[in-house]
Amino acid sequence: MKIIKFTIYTFIVVAVFSLTSCADMLIGDEGKYDEDIYLNYKTKTVLELPFDDEWYITAGGKSLEENHHFAPHRHQRYALDIVQVINRRGNTGDGTKNEDYYCFGKRLNAPGDGKIVTVVNNIEDNVPGILNEKQAWGNYIVIDHLNGEYSCMVHFKKNSIIVAVGDNVVRGQMVGQAGNSGNSTGPHLHYHLQTTASRSTGVGLPMQFINYYADDVFTERGEPITSQIIRKN
């Protein structure tokens, strides 16, 4: 499948993630819907954007209309999908190679202080447009922020992760490079916050980042949403 323009790429990312997801009732431990419990959650961890330069939010927000993650997956319902764009495109050429994409191989950083509790680093990167549904997260890390919050950074480039289980990391520290592994149609970063280290038991949490620009407007503390161009202060 050739990905010719960024707008097409964005559509494919959203459509495929939506169609391959499993339905979930999203009922919390208190017998209420998760959105009733967590929708107005205030992040405990001091988080900053986990990358350098400008990136574009292809999916993010607190509703299904804004964010295709919201309904299907309980653990990642407030997740962000993020790419880099130049002149409204996410890639050069015809987009058939990972190297065509601006974000492929770019530095990714720990969004907050914590301890690495999970690392997968040996999954092959996909050919753009082809999914690896059997290893949905591909190469990824989970950071325990030691306060009941866990950061999940997903789809790293194969063998690019430079931290190990047990390592302590600090906000802004490099942890690896953006890739296209797992359930991914093209190079991007998937990031979300959840209540445990496990996909089966974790519940997704809203995440607020500090000191960043969204569409050139400074935000002291906020939550990026679909179609914003964001960068650190």
Side-chain angles (χ1 to χ4, degrees), residues 93-131:
D94 60 10
T96 58
K97 303 186 298 295
N98 287 318
E99 291 76 12
D100 290 342
Y101 290 82
Y102 299 122
C103 69
F104 186 71
K106 288 297 179 67
R107 169 178 173 151
L108 296 177
N109 307 320
D113 299 348
K115 185 175 183 178
I116 303 295
V117 294
T118 309
V119 173
V120 174
N121 200 23
N122 62 350
I123 307 301
E124 296 291 338
D125 286 284
N126 303 327
V127 174
I130 299 176
L131 297 169

mmCIF file of all heavy atoms in Angstrom, residues 93-131:
data_model
loop_
_atom_site.group_PDB
_atom_site.id
_atom_site.type_symbol
_atom_site.label_atom_id
_atom_site.label_comp_id
_atom_site.label_asym_id
_atom_site.label_seq_id
_atom_site.Cartn_x
_atom_site.Cartn_y
_atom_site.Cartn_z
ATOM 1 N N GLY A 93 8.988 11.577 -0.811
ATOM 2 C CA GLY A 93 8.840 10.497 -1.779
ATOM 3 C C GLY A 93 7.441 9.913 -1.791
ATOM 4 O O GLY A 93 6.446 10.604 -1.555
ATOM 5 N N ASP A 94 7.363 8.607 -2.063
ATOM 6 C CA ASP A 94 6.062 7.956 -2.157
ATOM 7 C C ASP A 94 5.642 7.283 -0.859
ATOM 8 O O ASP A 94 4.589 6.658 -0.787
ATOM 9 C CB ASP A 94 6.032 6.950 -3.318
ATOM 10 C CG ASP A 94 7.079 5.836 -3.183
ATOM 11 O OD1 ASP A 94 7.710 5.726 -2.108
ATOM 12 O OD2 ASP A 94 7.254 5.082 -4.154
ATOM 13 N N GLY A 95 6.471 7.374 0.193
ATOM 14 C CA GLY A 95 6.090 6.837 1.488
ATOM 15 C C GLY A 95 6.125 5.330 1.579
ATOM 16 O O GLY A 95 5.516 4.748 2.490
ATOM 17 N N THR A 96 6.835 4.670 0.692
ATOM 18 C CA THR A 96 6.878 3.207 0.729
ATOM 19 C C THR A 96 7.980 2.665 1.636
ATOM 20 O O THR A 96 8.009 1.468 1.925
ATOM 21 C CB THR A 96 7.074 2.637 -0.690
ATOM 22 O OG1 THR A 96 8.287 3.170 -1.246
ATOM 23 C CG2 THR A 96 5.894 2.998 -1.585
ATOM 24 N N LYS A 97 8.881 3.530 2.085
ATOM 25 C CA LYS A 97 9.964 3.121 2.980
ATOM 26 C C LYS A 97 9.857 3.887 4.292
ATOM 27 O O LYS A 97 9.481 5.060 4.316
ATOM 28 C CB LYS A 97 11.331 3.392 2.341
ATOM 29 C CG LYS A 97 11.549 2.727 1.001
ATOM 30 C CD LYS A 97 12.972 2.928 0.510
ATOM 31 C CE LYS A 97 13.321 4.394 0.302
ATOM 32 N NZ LYS A 97 12.545 5.024 -0.766
ATOM 33 N N ASN A 98 10.212 3.232 5.383
ATOM 34 C CA ASN A 98 10.183 3.910 6.685
ATOM 35 C C ASN A 98 11.068 5.150 6.686
ATOM 36 O O ASN A 98 10.738 6.159 7.314
ATOM 37 C CB ASN A 98 10.626 2.944 7.785
ATOM 38 C CG ASN A 98 9.572 1.905 8.102
ATOM 39 O OD1 ASN A 98 8.390 2.211 8.179
ATOM 40 N ND2 ASN A 98 9.996 0.667 8.278
ATOM 41 N N GLU A 99 12.176 5.065 5.978
ATOM 42 C CA GLU A 99 13.111 6.189 5.934
ATOM 43 C C GLU A 99 12.520 7.408 5.237
ATOM 44 O O GLU A 99 13.079 8.509 5.339
ATOM 45 C CB GLU A 99 14.406 5.759 5.242
ATOM 46 C CG GLU A 99 15.243 4.766 6.030
ATOM 47 C CD GLU A 99 14.692 3.348 5.992
ATOM 48 O OE1 GLU A 99 13.791 3.065 5.172
ATOM 49 O OE2 GLU A 99 15.163 2.515 6.795
ATOM 50 N N ASP A 100 11.412 7.233 4.518
ATOM 51 C CA ASP A 100 10.741 8.371 3.882
ATOM 52 C C ASP A 100 10.060 9.277 4.907
ATOM 53 O O ASP A 100 9.754 10.436 4.594
ATOM 54 C CB ASP A 100 9.661 7.893 2.903
ATOM 55 C CG ASP A 100 10.229 7.231 1.656
ATOM 56 O OD1 ASP A 100 11.428 7.423 1.369
ATOM 57 O OD2 ASP A 100 9.465 6.519 0.973
ATOM 58 N N TYR A 101 9.806 8.750 6.107
ATOM 59 C CA TYR A 101 8.996 9.469 7.097
ATOM 60 C C TYR A 101 9.886 10.303 8.008
ATOM 61 O O TYR A 101 10.912 9.841 8.509
ATOM 62 C CB TYR A 101 8.151 8.473 7.895
ATOM 63 C CG TYR A 101 7.077 7.876 7.028
ATOM 64 C CD1 TYR A 101 7.367 6.810 6.193
ATOM 65 C CD2 TYR A 101 5.795 8.417 6.982
ATOM 66 C CE1 TYR A 101 6.408 6.277 5.337
ATOM 67 C CE2 TYR A 101 4.834 7.901 6.138
ATOM 68 C CZ TYR A 101 5.143 6.832 5.318
ATOM 69 O OH TYR A 101 4.189 6.329 4.472
ATOM 70 N N TYR A 102 9.479 11.550 8.208
ATOM 71 C CA TYR A 102 10.303 12.503 8.939
ATOM 72 C C TYR A 102 10.599 12.054 10.360
ATOM 73 O O TYR A 102 11.662 12.363 10.905
ATOM 74 C CB TYR A 102 9.632 13.875 8.959
ATOM 75 C CG TYR A 102 9.427 14.467 7.589
ATOM 76 C CD1 TYR A 102 8.153 14.819 7.151
ATOM 77 C CD2 TYR A 102 10.503 14.681 6.730
ATOM 78 C CE1 TYR A 102 7.957 15.365 5.888
ATOM 79 C CE2 TYR A 102 10.318 15.227 5.467
ATOM 80 C CZ TYR A 102 9.045 15.561 5.055
ATOM 81 O OH TYR A 102 8.857 16.089 3.801
ATOM 82 N N CYS A 103 9.672 11.336 10.985
ATOM 83 C CA CYS A 103 9.882 10.978 12.391
ATOM 84 C C CYS A 103 10.657 9.680 12.578
ATOM 85 O O CYS A 103 11.101 9.381 13.689
ATOM 86 C CB CYS A 103 8.548 10.894 13.142
ATOM 87 S SG CYS A 103 7.486 9.525 12.656
ATOM 88 N N PHE A 104 10.837 8.903 11.515
ATOM 89 C CA PHE A 104 11.499 7.604 11.674
ATOM 90 C C PHE A 104 12.943 7.797 12.124
ATOM 91 O O PHE A 104 13.720 8.520 11.511
ATOM 92 C CB PHE A 104 11.460 6.829 10.366
ATOM 93 C CG PHE A 104 11.990 5.423 10.484
ATOM 94 C CD1 PHE A 104 11.271 4.454 11.160
ATOM 95 C CD2 PHE A 104 13.216 5.070 9.937
ATOM 96 C CE1 PHE A 104 11.741 3.156 11.274
ATOM 97 C CE2 PHE A 104 13.705 3.778 10.043
ATOM 98 C CZ PHE A 104 12.970 2.812 10.717
ATOM 99 N N GLY A 105 13.286 7.150 13.235
ATOM 100 C CA GLY A 105 14.636 7.255 13.783
ATOM 101 C C GLY A 105 14.883 8.476 14.636
ATOM 102 O O GLY A 105 15.996 8.656 15.155
ATOM 103 N N LYS A 106 13.863 9.317 14.830
ATOM 104 C CA LYS A 106 14.054 10.515 15.642
ATOM 105 C C LYS A 106 14.088 10.170 17.138
ATOM 106 O O LYS A 106 13.469 9.210 17.593
ATOM 107 C CB LYS A 106 12.928 11.519 15.384
ATOM 108 C CG LYS A 106 13.019 12.180 14.027
ATOM 109 C CD LYS A 106 14.298 13.007 13.881
ATOM 110 C CE LYS A 106 14.435 13.661 12.513
ATOM 111 N NZ LYS A 106 13.424 14.685 12.297
ATOM 112 N N ARG A 107 14.803 10.986 17.870
ATOM 113 C CA ARG A 107 14.994 10.788 19.305
ATOM 114 C C ARG A 107 13.671 10.870 20.066
ATOM 115 O O ARG A 107 12.861 11.772 19.840
ATOM 116 C CB ARG A 107 15.958 11.848 19.833
ATOM 117 C CG ARG A 107 16.046 11.915 21.348
ATOM 118 C CD ARG A 107 17.043 12.935 21.801
ATOM 119 N NE ARG A 107 16.993 13.109 23.252
ATOM 120 C CZ ARG A 107 18.028 13.463 24.003
ATOM 121 N NH1 ARG A 107 19.191 13.704 23.437
ATOM 122 N NH2 ARG A 107 17.896 13.593 25.311
ATOM 123 N N LEU A 108 13.480 9.916 20.981
ATOM 124 C CA LEU A 108 12.345 9.937 21.899
ATOM 125 C C LEU A 108 12.874 9.955 23.329
ATOM 126 O O LEU A 108 13.878 9.301 23.641
ATOM 127 C CB LEU A 108 11.458 8.714 21.690
ATOM 128 C CG LEU A 108 10.778 8.616 20.318
ATOM 129 C CD1 LEU A 108 9.991 7.318 20.213
ATOM 130 C CD2 LEU A 108 9.880 9.818 20.050
ATOM 131 N N ASN A 109 12.192 10.704 24.188
ATOM 132 C CA ASN A 109 12.654 10.948 25.552
ATOM 133 C C ASN A 109 11.647 10.460 26.584
ATOM 134 O O ASN A 109 10.441 10.385 26.303
ATOM 135 C CB ASN A 109 12.869 12.453 25.768
ATOM 136 C CG ASN A 109 13.769 13.076 24.727
ATOM 137 O OD1 ASN A 109 14.769 12.483 24.317
ATOM 138 N ND2 ASN A 109 13.418 14.264 24.280
ATOM 139 N N ALA A 110 12.135 10.185 27.777
ATOM 140 C CA ALA A 110 11.233 9.882 28.887
ATOM 141 C C ALA A 110 10.385 11.108 29.180
ATOM 142 O O ALA A 110 10.915 12.200 29.343
ATOM 143 C CB ALA A 110 12.030 9.489 30.122
ATOM 144 N N PRO A 111 9.058 10.953 29.249
ATOM 145 C CA PRO A 111 8.211 12.113 29.524
ATOM 146 C C PRO A 111 8.228 12.556 30.977
ATOM 147 O O PRO A 111 7.841 13.686 31.295
ATOM 148 C CB PRO A 111 6.818 11.623 29.123
ATOM 149 C CG PRO A 111 6.882 10.150 29.338
ATOM 150 C CD PRO A 111 8.281 9.745 28.994
ATOM 151 N N GLY A 112 8.662 11.659 31.870
ATOM 152 C CA GLY A 112 8.706 11.972 33.293
ATOM 153 C C GLY A 112 9.675 11.060 34.009
ATOM 154 O O GLY A 112 10.141 10.058 33.462
ATOM 155 N N ASP A 113 10.008 11.412 35.243
ATOM 156 C CA ASP A 113 10.919 10.596 36.045
ATOM 157 C C ASP A 113 10.270 9.260 36.391
ATOM 158 O O ASP A 113 9.054 9.180 36.586
ATOM 159 C CB ASP A 113 11.262 11.314 37.353
ATOM 160 C CG ASP A 113 11.962 12.651 37.137
ATOM 161 O OD1 ASP A 113 12.383 12.925 36.007
ATOM 162 O OD2 ASP A 113 12.061 13.416 38.118
ATOM 163 N N GLY A 114 11.093 8.225 36.498
ATOM 164 C CA GLY A 114 10.549 6.937 36.887
ATOM 165 C C GLY A 114 11.539 5.804 36.699
ATOM 166 O O GLY A 114 12.734 6.027 36.518
ATOM 167 N N LYS A 115 11.008 4.586 36.709
ATOM 168 C CA LYS A 115 11.804 3.364 36.593
ATOM 169 C C LYS A 115 11.276 2.521 35.443
ATOM 170 O O LYS A 115 10.062 2.322 35.316
ATOM 171 C CB LYS A 115 11.733 2.574 37.907
ATOM 172 C CG LYS A 115 12.620 1.342 37.948
ATOM 173 C CD LYS A 115 12.570 0.703 39.332
ATOM 174 C CE LYS A 115 13.508 -0.489 39.426
ATOM 175 N NZ LYS A 115 13.498 -1.088 40.789
ATOM 176 N N ILE A 116 12.172 2.022 34.613
ATOM 177 C CA ILE A 116 11.784 1.175 33.488
ATOM 178 C C ILE A 116 11.377 -0.207 34.013
ATOM 179 O O ILE A 116 12.154 -0.872 34.704
ATOM 180 C CB ILE A 116 12.931 1.026 32.482
ATOM 181 C CG1 ILE A 116 13.411 2.389 31.978
ATOM 182 C CG2 ILE A 116 12.506 0.122 31.326
ATOM 183 C CD1 ILE A 116 12.408 3.149 31.178
ATOM 184 N N VAL A 117 10.157 -0.630 33.680
ATOM 185 C CA VAL A 117 9.668 -1.930 34.152
ATOM 186 C C VAL A 117 9.420 -2.923 33.020
ATOM 187 O O VAL A 117 9.303 -4.124 33.267
ATOM 188 C CB VAL A 117 8.396 -1.782 35.014
ATOM 189 C CG1 VAL A 117 8.716 -1.048 36.312
ATOM 190 C CG2 VAL A 117 7.279 -1.072 34.256
ATOM 191 N N THR A 118 9.341 -2.452 31.791
ATOM 192 C CA THR A 118 9.153 -3.346 30.643
ATOM 193 C C THR A 118 9.895 -2.784 29.443
ATOM 194 O O THR A 118 9.842 -1.577 29.187
ATOM 195 C CB THR A 118 7.665 -3.491 30.264
ATOM 196 O OG1 THR A 118 6.902 -3.834 31.414
ATOM 197 C CG2 THR A 118 7.483 -4.588 29.209
ATOM 198 N N VAL A 119 10.592 -3.671 28.726
ATOM 199 C CA VAL A 119 11.252 -3.297 27.476
ATOM 200 C C VAL A 119 11.082 -4.437 26.475
ATOM 201 O O VAL A 119 11.360 -5.594 26.784
ATOM 202 C CB VAL A 119 12.762 -3.027 27.668
ATOM 203 C CG1 VAL A 119 13.447 -2.818 26.316
ATOM 204 C CG2 VAL A 119 13.008 -1.837 28.573
ATOM 205 N N VAL A 120 10.636 -4.108 25.267
ATOM 206 C CA VAL A 120 10.688 -5.013 24.114
ATOM 207 C C VAL A 120 11.407 -4.249 23.014
ATOM 208 O O VAL A 120 11.029 -3.118 22.693
ATOM 209 C CB VAL A 120 9.283 -5.450 23.651
ATOM 210 C CG1 VAL A 120 9.374 -6.260 22.366
ATOM 211 C CG2 VAL A 120 8.583 -6.258 24.735
ATOM 212 N N ASN A 121 12.440 -4.881 22.418
ATOM 213 C CA ASN A 121 13.340 -4.107 21.562
ATOM 214 C C ASN A 121 13.729 -4.832 20.275
ATOM 215 O O ASN A 121 14.546 -4.328 19.509
ATOM 216 C CB ASN A 121 14.610 -3.761 22.348
ATOM 217 C CG ASN A 121 15.397 -2.600 21.774
ATOM 218 O OD1 ASN A 121 14.859 -1.757 21.058
ATOM 219 N ND2 ASN A 121 16.688 -2.556 22.074
ATOM 220 N N ASN A 122 13.161 -6.043 20.034
ATOM 221 C CA ASN A 122 13.664 -6.878 18.944
ATOM 222 C C ASN A 122 12.647 -7.167 17.842
ATOM 223 O O ASN A 122 12.819 -8.095 17.059
ATOM 224 C CB ASN A 122 14.175 -8.209 19.509
ATOM 225 C CG ASN A 122 13.081 -9.012 20.193
ATOM 226 O OD1 ASN A 122 11.977 -8.512 20.409
ATOM 227 N ND2 ASN A 122 13.388 -10.254 20.543
ATOM 228 N N ILE A 123 11.590 -6.366 17.771
ATOM 229 C CA ILE A 123 10.555 -6.586 16.765
ATOM 230 C C ILE A 123 10.906 -5.832 15.485
ATOM 231 O O ILE A 123 11.286 -4.669 15.526
ATOM 232 C CB ILE A 123 9.170 -6.119 17.277
ATOM 233 C CG1 ILE A 123 8.860 -6.755 18.633
ATOM 234 C CG2 ILE A 123 8.083 -6.431 16.251
ATOM 235 C CD1 ILE A 123 8.844 -8.261 18.643
ATOM 236 N N GLU A 124 10.760 -6.495 14.361
ATOM 237 C CA GLU A 124 11.070 -5.858 13.082
ATOM 238 C C GLU A 124 10.131 -4.674 12.817
ATOM 239 O O GLU A 124 8.943 -4.713 13.160
ATOM 240 C CB GLU A 124 10.931 -6.855 11.931
ATOM 241 C CG GLU A 124 11.915 -8.018 11.976
ATOM 242 C CD GLU A 124 13.352 -7.589 11.713
ATOM 243 O OE1 GLU A 124 13.551 -6.525 11.096
ATOM 244 O OE2 GLU A 124 14.270 -8.332 12.118
ATOM 245 N N ASP A 125 10.658 -3.640 12.188
ATOM 246 C CA ASP A 125 9.810 -2.549 11.728
ATOM 247 C C ASP A 125 9.004 -3.010 10.516
ATOM 248 O O ASP A 125 9.496 -3.768 9.675
ATOM 249 C CB ASP A 125 10.668 -1.335 11.360
ATOM 250 C CG ASP A 125 11.210 -0.634 12.593
ATOM 251 O OD1 ASP A 125 10.438 0.081 13.242
ATOM 252 O OD2 ASP A 125 12.399 -0.822 12.901
ATOM 253 N N ASN A 126 7.758 -2.542 10.447
ATOM 254 C CA ASN A 126 6.886 -2.904 9.342
ATOM 255 C C ASN A 126 7.256 -2.161 8.061
ATOM 256 O O ASN A 126 7.819 -1.069 8.099
ATOM 257 C CB ASN A 126 5.433 -2.535 9.672
ATOM 258 C CG ASN A 126 4.949 -3.184 10.947
ATOM 259 O OD1 ASN A 126 5.351 -4.290 11.285
ATOM 260 N ND2 ASN A 126 4.068 -2.495 11.665
ATOM 261 N N VAL A 127 6.884 -2.737 6.934
ATOM 262 C CA VAL A 127 6.805 -1.972 5.694
ATOM 263 C C VAL A 127 5.587 -1.059 5.823
ATOM 264 O O VAL A 127 4.526 -1.503 6.264
ATOM 265 C CB VAL A 127 6.638 -2.909 4.482
ATOM 266 C CG1 VAL A 127 6.408 -2.106 3.208
ATOM 267 C CG2 VAL A 127 7.849 -3.820 4.345
ATOM 268 N N PRO A 128 5.700 0.231 5.508
ATOM 269 C CA PRO A 128 4.540 1.123 5.651
ATOM 270 C C PRO A 128 3.289 0.564 4.988
ATOM 271 O O PRO A 128 3.330 0.085 3.854
ATOM 272 C CB PRO A 128 5.011 2.417 4.975
ATOM 273 C CG PRO A 128 6.495 2.412 5.194
ATOM 274 C CD PRO A 128 6.905 0.968 5.058
ATOM 275 N N GLY A 129 2.192 0.612 5.733
ATOM 276 C CA GLY A 129 0.923 0.107 5.235
ATOM 277 C C GLY A 129 0.621 -1.324 5.614
ATOM 278 O O GLY A 129 -0.494 -1.791 5.409
ATOM 279 N N ILE A 130 1.607 -2.033 6.184
ATOM 280 C CA ILE A 130 1.413 -3.430 6.581
ATOM 281 C C ILE A 130 1.518 -3.534 8.091
ATOM 282 O O ILE A 130 2.481 -3.049 8.701
ATOM 283 C CB ILE A 130 2.452 -4.341 5.910
ATOM 284 C CG1 ILE A 130 2.294 -4.263 4.391
ATOM 285 C CG2 ILE A 130 2.303 -5.772 6.398
ATOM 286 C CD1 ILE A 130 3.321 -5.055 3.633
ATOM 287 N N LEU A 131 0.532 -4.168 8.729
ATOM 288 C CA LEU A 131 0.457 -4.261 10.182
ATOM 289 C C LEU A 131 1.073 -5.543 10.713
ATOM 290 O O LEU A 131 1.076 -6.574 10.043
ATOM 291 C CB LEU A 131 -1.008 -4.224 10.637
ATOM 292 C CG LEU A 131 -1.808 -2.959 10.350
ATOM 293 C CD1 LEU A 131 -3.280 -3.212 10.620
ATOM 294 C CD2 LEU A 131 -1.303 -1.824 11.196
#
